[in-house]
């Protein structure tokens, strides 16, 4: 898997290996700025729906106030 992948329109995921496992950070961009929305340690192959919903809700707040 690439280090960064598109999850939804405007929502991206990056990954990093840490002692606790594989950390994921969901982010969006506003112009040239990367806005980190949510980070978690992924324990399954699929991104947990609760984590995805939280990032999407935060992305909406960032883009629409």
């Amino acid at each position: 898997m690439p280090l960064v992948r598109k999850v939804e329109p405007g929502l991206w995921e990056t990954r990093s290996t840490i002692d606790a496992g594989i950390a994921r950070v969901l982010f969006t961009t506003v112009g040239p700025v990367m806005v980190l929305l949510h980070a978690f340690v992924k324990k399954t192959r699929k991104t947990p729906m609760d984590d995805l919903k939280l990032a999407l809700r935060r992305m909406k707040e960032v883009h629409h106030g």
Side-chain angles (χ1 to χ4, degrees):
M1 180 180 150
L3 291 178
V4 176
R5 74 175 182 99
K6 190 173 195 174
V7 178
E8 300 263 339
L11 183 65
W12 298 82
E13 175 185 77
T14 186
R15 66 184 171 95
S16 179
T17 302
I18 60 173
D19 290 342
I22 299 175
R24 305 291 176 150
V25 178
L26 297 169
F27 68 93
T28 191
T29 57
V30 178
V33 177
M34 175 189 252
V35 181
L36 308 181
L37 301 168
H38 183 59
F40 59 98
V41 176
K42 193 168 178 180
K43 297 180 178 168
T44 63
R45 290 183 57 90
K46 192 170 183 181
T47 300
M49 190 54 66
D50 289 345
D51 292 303
L52 183 57
K53 285 181 181 178
L54 177 60
L56 288 168
R57 186 171 67 244
R58 290 176 176 171
M59 182 176 75
K60 184 177 177 184
E61 290 174 13
V62 166
H63 288 287
H64 302 292

